[in-house]
Amino acid sequence: MNKDILSLLDLERKDFELFFKRALELKKNQRKSIEKRPLAGKTLGLIFDKPSTRTRLSFEVAMIQLGGASIFISSKDTQMVRNEPVRDTARVLSRYLDGLAIRTYSQDLLKEFAEFSTIPVINALTDLYHPCQVLSDLMTVIEYKGGYENLKTTWVGDGNNVSHSWINAAAVLGLNLVLACPEGYYPDADILETALERGHGSIIVTSDPVEAVKHADVIYTDVWASMGQESEHSVRKRIFEPFQVDKELLKNASKDVIIMHCLPVHRGEEMSEEVLECPNSVVWDQSENKLHMHKAILEVLIK
Ligand code: CP
Ligand code: NVA
């Protein structure tokens, strides 16, 4: 296993499997009130340059439940705001902390942190990827569908950071993934090419959401304008309208399709209220599983 999780391409199939197994066990243990403190005395730093509810809180609670501690570091309150270089900050923080979860804009900045840190660095979302999100999402798929093999997963909406992590996962695990995105909002061409070169599973990009969701077992959507794209919101709203996951679109999918969204959701935009609240929607379990998956990740990476 690599020291860091910067993207899902850092993981091999066996790493994915280890995380799924351990996260499912930890969830079961929590239900039975079995508590262990493997990270007693360890501290996780959380550097967040963008807002977060689920990711921040679930990492913090994960550390508490594992017997460790976490420190939230708002980058504007550190010397980074006065241009202390990342490479210096990374080396200093490595002397205090046992792991770092970072949510920021640039994947390159995250990479630099990882390069100069001697501790594990975990991507808690960048403009390019959201790997831990998709790990916990796949855990949810396993819970509902018994596995991820032989399923058709359809991404509907923006070819964004979360979709890129799904593409990476599809490449490593050999998933059958279809992405329906408006033209001009397709996933990154290099990320797609790298995934296709691996030759595992099937990854198709189309601009036809109706065709894309036909017989889908999993439908996933996300916001139309991600953090940092707020100024594009009204333009995107118009372009993405035919990509709303609503009852009409769902008619084309399998009857027992599960509906997923990483949250926060914009009701009436990427998903209708009716679909969000329908029995096929698993969004709240998805949220919960972030906690169990983050516990598994921390337990494995922080020794
Ligand atoms: N899904 C997710 O990453 O949510 P937050 O932005 O609230 O962390
Ligand atoms: N694509 C979204 C995900 C939020 C969890 C964003 O980057 O804002």
Short mmCIF file of all heavy atoms in Angstrom, two decimals, residues 159-192:
data_model
loop_
_atom_site.label_atom_id
_atom_site.label_comp_id
_atom_site.label_asym_id
_atom_site.label_seq_id
_atom_site.Cartn_x
_atom_site.Cartn_y
_atom_site.Cartn_z
N GLY A 159 -18.91 16.16 -15.47
CA GLY A 159 -17.70 15.33 -15.47
C GLY A 159 -16.68 15.90 -14.50
O GLY A 159 -15.62 16.39 -14.90
N ASN A 160 -16.98 15.80 -13.21
CA ASN A 160 -16.21 16.54 -12.19
C ASN A 160 -15.28 15.63 -11.37
O ASN A 160 -15.03 14.47 -11.74
CB ASN A 160 -17.20 17.29 -11.27
CG ASN A 160 -18.08 16.35 -10.46
OD1 ASN A 160 -17.82 15.15 -10.39
ND2 ASN A 160 -19.11 16.88 -9.83
N ASN A 161 -14.82 16.17 -10.24
CA ASN A 161 -13.87 15.45 -9.38
C ASN A 161 -14.40 14.07 -8.93
O ASN A 161 -13.67 13.08 -8.95
CB ASN A 161 -13.49 16.31 -8.16
CG ASN A 161 -14.67 17.02 -7.50
OD1 ASN A 161 -15.83 16.80 -7.85
ND2 ASN A 161 -14.38 17.89 -6.54
N VAL A 162 -15.66 14.02 -8.52
CA VAL A 162 -16.21 12.74 -8.05
C VAL A 162 -16.30 11.75 -9.22
O VAL A 162 -15.94 10.58 -9.10
CB VAL A 162 -17.59 12.94 -7.36
CG1 VAL A 162 -18.13 11.61 -6.84
CG2 VAL A 162 -17.47 13.95 -6.21
N SER A 163 -16.71 12.25 -10.37
CA SER A 163 -16.80 11.37 -11.56
C SER A 163 -15.40 10.85 -11.92
O SER A 163 -15.24 9.71 -12.32
CB SER A 163 -17.44 12.08 -12.75
OG SER A 163 -16.52 12.88 -13.46
N HIS A 164 -14.38 11.69 -11.75
CA HIS A 164 -13.00 11.24 -12.06
C HIS A 164 -12.59 10.10 -11.13
O HIS A 164 -11.91 9.16 -11.56
CB HIS A 164 -12.01 12.40 -11.90
CG HIS A 164 -12.18 13.47 -12.94
ND1 HIS A 164 -11.76 14.77 -12.76
CD2 HIS A 164 -12.74 13.43 -14.18
CE1 HIS A 164 -12.05 15.49 -13.84
NE2 HIS A 164 -12.64 14.70 -14.71
N SER A 165 -12.98 10.19 -9.87
CA SER A 165 -12.62 9.10 -8.95
C SER A 165 -13.39 7.83 -9.31
O SER A 165 -12.87 6.72 -9.16
CB SER A 165 -12.85 9.52 -7.50
OG SER A 165 -11.83 10.43 -7.12
N TRP A 166 -14.62 7.97 -9.79
CA TRP A 166 -15.36 6.79 -10.27
C TRP A 166 -14.65 6.17 -11.47
O TRP A 166 -14.57 4.95 -11.60
CB TRP A 166 -16.80 7.17 -10.64
CG TRP A 166 -17.74 6.99 -9.48
CD1 TRP A 166 -18.19 7.97 -8.65
CD2 TRP A 166 -18.31 5.76 -9.01
NE1 TRP A 166 -19.01 7.41 -7.68
CE2 TRP A 166 -19.10 6.07 -7.88
CE3 TRP A 166 -18.23 4.44 -9.44
CZ2 TRP A 166 -19.80 5.09 -7.17
CZ3 TRP A 166 -18.93 3.46 -8.73
CH2 TRP A 166 -19.70 3.79 -7.61
N ILE A 167 -14.13 7.01 -12.34
CA ILE A 167 -13.41 6.50 -13.53
C ILE A 167 -12.16 5.75 -13.08
O ILE A 167 -11.86 4.65 -13.58
CB ILE A 167 -13.06 7.67 -14.49
CG1 ILE A 167 -14.35 8.22 -15.13
CG2 ILE A 167 -12.06 7.25 -15.55
CD1 ILE A 167 -14.19 9.53 -15.89
N ASN A 168 -11.44 6.31 -12.11
CA ASN A 168 -10.25 5.62 -11.58
C ASN A 168 -10.63 4.27 -10.98
O ASN A 168 -9.96 3.26 -11.21
CB ASN A 168 -9.57 6.46 -10.50
CG ASN A 168 -8.90 7.71 -11.05
OD1 ASN A 168 -8.68 7.83 -12.25
ND2 ASN A 168 -8.58 8.64 -10.18
N ALA A 169 -11.71 4.26 -10.20
CA ALA A 169 -12.16 3.01 -9.57
C ALA A 169 -12.55 2.00 -10.64
O ALA A 169 -12.21 0.81 -10.54
CB ALA A 169 -13.33 3.28 -8.64
N ALA A 170 -13.22 2.47 -11.67
CA ALA A 170 -13.64 1.57 -12.76
C ALA A 170 -12.41 0.94 -13.42
O ALA A 170 -12.41 -0.25 -13.76
CB ALA A 170 -14.47 2.33 -13.78
N ALA A 171 -11.36 1.76 -13.57
CA ALA A 171 -10.14 1.26 -14.22
C ALA A 171 -9.46 0.18 -13.38
O ALA A 171 -8.96 -0.80 -13.91
CB ALA A 171 -9.18 2.41 -14.47
N VAL A 172 -9.43 0.38 -12.05
CA VAL A 172 -8.73 -0.59 -11.19
C VAL A 172 -9.59 -1.84 -10.97
O VAL A 172 -9.09 -2.95 -11.02
CB VAL A 172 -8.35 0.05 -9.83
CG1 VAL A 172 -7.64 -0.96 -8.94
CG2 VAL A 172 -7.47 1.28 -10.02
N LEU A 173 -10.89 -1.63 -10.76
CA LEU A 173 -11.76 -2.76 -10.38
C LEU A 173 -12.47 -3.41 -11.58
O LEU A 173 -13.10 -4.44 -11.43
CB LEU A 173 -12.81 -2.29 -9.37
CG LEU A 173 -12.28 -1.74 -8.05
CD1 LEU A 173 -13.43 -1.21 -7.18
CD2 LEU A 173 -11.50 -2.80 -7.28
N GLY A 174 -12.39 -2.76 -12.73
CA GLY A 174 -13.06 -3.30 -13.92
C GLY A 174 -14.57 -3.12 -13.86
O GLY A 174 -15.32 -4.07 -14.10
N LEU A 175 -15.02 -1.91 -13.53
CA LEU A 175 -16.47 -1.67 -13.44
C LEU A 175 -17.05 -1.37 -14.81
O LEU A 175 -16.34 -0.96 -15.73
CB LEU A 175 -16.75 -0.46 -12.52
CG LEU A 175 -16.12 -0.46 -11.12
CD1 LEU A 175 -16.48 0.82 -10.39
CD2 LEU A 175 -16.59 -1.68 -10.32
N ASN A 176 -18.38 -1.54 -14.88
CA ASN A 176 -19.12 -1.12 -16.07
C ASN A 176 -19.72 0.24 -15.75
O ASN A 176 -20.71 0.34 -15.04
CB ASN A 176 -20.21 -2.17 -16.36
CG ASN A 176 -21.16 -1.74 -17.46
OD1 ASN A 176 -20.96 -0.71 -18.10
ND2 ASN A 176 -22.19 -2.53 -17.67
N LEU A 177 -19.06 1.29 -16.26
CA LEU A 177 -19.42 2.67 -15.91
C LEU A 177 -19.81 3.45 -17.16
O LEU A 177 -19.08 3.46 -18.15
CB LEU A 177 -18.21 3.34 -15.24
CG LEU A 177 -18.32 4.80 -14.80
CD1 LEU A 177 -19.35 4.96 -13.67
CD2 LEU A 177 -16.98 5.34 -14.35
N VAL A 178 -20.99 4.07 -17.11
CA VAL A 178 -21.43 4.95 -18.20
C VAL A 178 -21.59 6.35 -17.62
O VAL A 178 -22.18 6.50 -16.55
CB VAL A 178 -22.77 4.47 -18.80
CG1 VAL A 178 -23.21 5.39 -19.92
CG2 VAL A 178 -22.65 3.04 -19.31
N LEU A 179 -21.04 7.33 -18.29
CA LEU A 179 -21.15 8.71 -17.80
C LEU A 179 -21.93 9.53 -18.82
O LEU A 179 -21.52 9.61 -20.00
CB LEU A 179 -19.77 9.33 -17.57
CG LEU A 179 -18.88 8.57 -16.57
CD1 LEU A 179 -17.78 7.83 -17.32
CD2 LEU A 179 -18.28 9.50 -15.54
N ALA A 180 -23.06 10.12 -18.38
CA ALA A 180 -23.85 10.98 -19.26
C ALA A 180 -23.64 12.42 -18.82
O ALA A 180 -24.07 12.82 -17.74
CB ALA A 180 -25.32 10.60 -19.17
N CYS A 181 -22.97 13.19 -19.65
CA CYS A 181 -22.63 14.58 -19.31
C CYS A 181 -22.95 15.46 -20.52
O CYS A 181 -22.82 15.01 -21.67
CB CYS A 181 -21.14 14.72 -19.02
SG CYS A 181 -20.43 13.44 -17.97
N PRO A 182 -23.32 16.72 -20.28
CA PRO A 182 -23.52 17.61 -21.43
C PRO A 182 -22.21 17.78 -22.20
O PRO A 182 -21.13 17.77 -21.58
CB PRO A 182 -23.94 18.94 -20.79
CG PRO A 182 -24.25 18.64 -19.37
CD PRO A 182 -23.54 17.40 -19.00
N GLU A 183 -22.31 17.96 -23.50
CA GLU A 183 -21.09 18.20 -24.28
C GLU A 183 -20.39 19.43 -23.72
O GLU A 183 -21.05 20.40 -23.36
CB GLU A 183 -21.44 18.39 -25.75
CG GLU A 183 -21.53 17.04 -26.45
CD GLU A 183 -22.14 17.13 -27.82
OE1 GLU A 183 -21.91 18.14 -28.51
OE2 GLU A 183 -22.87 16.18 -28.19
N GLY A 184 -19.10 19.37 -23.61
CA GLY A 184 -18.35 20.49 -23.03
C GLY A 184 -18.13 20.31 -21.53
O GLY A 184 -17.36 21.04 -20.92
N TYR A 185 -18.82 19.33 -20.95
CA TYR A 185 -18.68 19.07 -19.51
C TYR A 185 -18.34 17.60 -19.26
O TYR A 185 -18.68 17.03 -18.24
CB TYR A 185 -19.96 19.48 -18.76
CG TYR A 185 -20.20 20.97 -18.85
CD1 TYR A 185 -20.93 21.51 -19.90
CD2 TYR A 185 -19.64 21.84 -17.92
CE1 TYR A 185 -21.11 22.88 -20.02
CE2 TYR A 185 -19.82 23.21 -18.02
CZ TYR A 185 -20.56 23.72 -19.08
OH TYR A 185 -20.73 25.07 -19.19
N TYR A 186 -17.67 17.02 -20.26
CA TYR A 186 -17.23 15.63 -20.14
C TYR A 186 -16.09 15.54 -19.12
O TYR A 186 -15.42 16.54 -18.85
CB TYR A 186 -16.72 15.12 -21.50
CG TYR A 186 -17.79 14.67 -22.47
CD1 TYR A 186 -19.12 14.99 -22.28
CD2 TYR A 186 -17.46 13.91 -23.59
CE1 TYR A 186 -20.10 14.56 -23.17
CE2 TYR A 186 -18.43 13.48 -24.49
CZ TYR A 186 -19.74 13.82 -24.28
OH TYR A 186 -20.70 13.40 -25.17
N PRO A 187 -15.84 14.35 -18.59
CA PRO A 187 -14.69 14.19 -17.69
C PRO A 187 -13.38 14.52 -18.42
O PRO A 187 -13.34 14.53 -19.66
CB PRO A 187 -14.74 12.70 -17.33
CG PRO A 187 -16.09 12.23 -17.69
CD PRO A 187 -16.59 13.10 -18.78
N ASP A 188 -12.35 14.77 -17.65
CA ASP A 188 -11.04 15.10 -18.17
C ASP A 188 -10.54 14.01 -19.14
O ASP A 188 -10.54 12.83 -18.80
CB ASP A 188 -10.07 15.24 -16.99
CG ASP A 188 -8.68 15.60 -17.42
OD1 ASP A 188 -8.42 16.80 -17.56
OD2 ASP A 188 -7.86 14.68 -17.62
N ALA A 189 -10.10 14.45 -20.32
CA ALA A 189 -9.74 13.49 -21.38
C ALA A 189 -8.53 12.63 -20.98
O ALA A 189 -8.49 11.44 -21.29
CB ALA A 189 -9.44 14.25 -22.67
N ASP A 190 -7.56 13.22 -20.26
CA ASP A 190 -6.36 12.43 -19.87
C ASP A 190 -6.72 11.37 -18.84
O ASP A 190 -6.20 10.25 -18.87
CB ASP A 190 -5.28 13.36 -19.27
CG ASP A 190 -4.68 14.25 -20.33
OD1 ASP A 190 -4.77 13.88 -21.52
OD2 ASP A 190 -4.15 15.32 -19.97
N ILE A 191 -7.62 11.75 -17.92
CA ILE A 191 -8.04 10.78 -16.88
C ILE A 191 -8.75 9.60 -17.55
O ILE A 191 -8.51 8.44 -17.24
CB ILE A 191 -8.92 11.46 -15.81
CG1 ILE A 191 -8.08 12.46 -15.01
CG2 ILE A 191 -9.59 10.43 -14.90
CD1 ILE A 191 -8.86 13.34 -14.06
N LEU A 192 -9.60 9.94 -18.52
CA LEU A 192 -10.32 8.89 -19.26
C LEU A 192 -9.36 8.00 -20.03
O LEU A 192 -9.46 6.77 -19.97
CB LEU A 192 -11.25 9.55 -20.27
CG LEU A 192 -12.73 9.62 -19.93
CD1 LEU A 192 -13.48 10.34 -21.02
CD2 LEU A 192 -13.30 8.21 -19.75
#
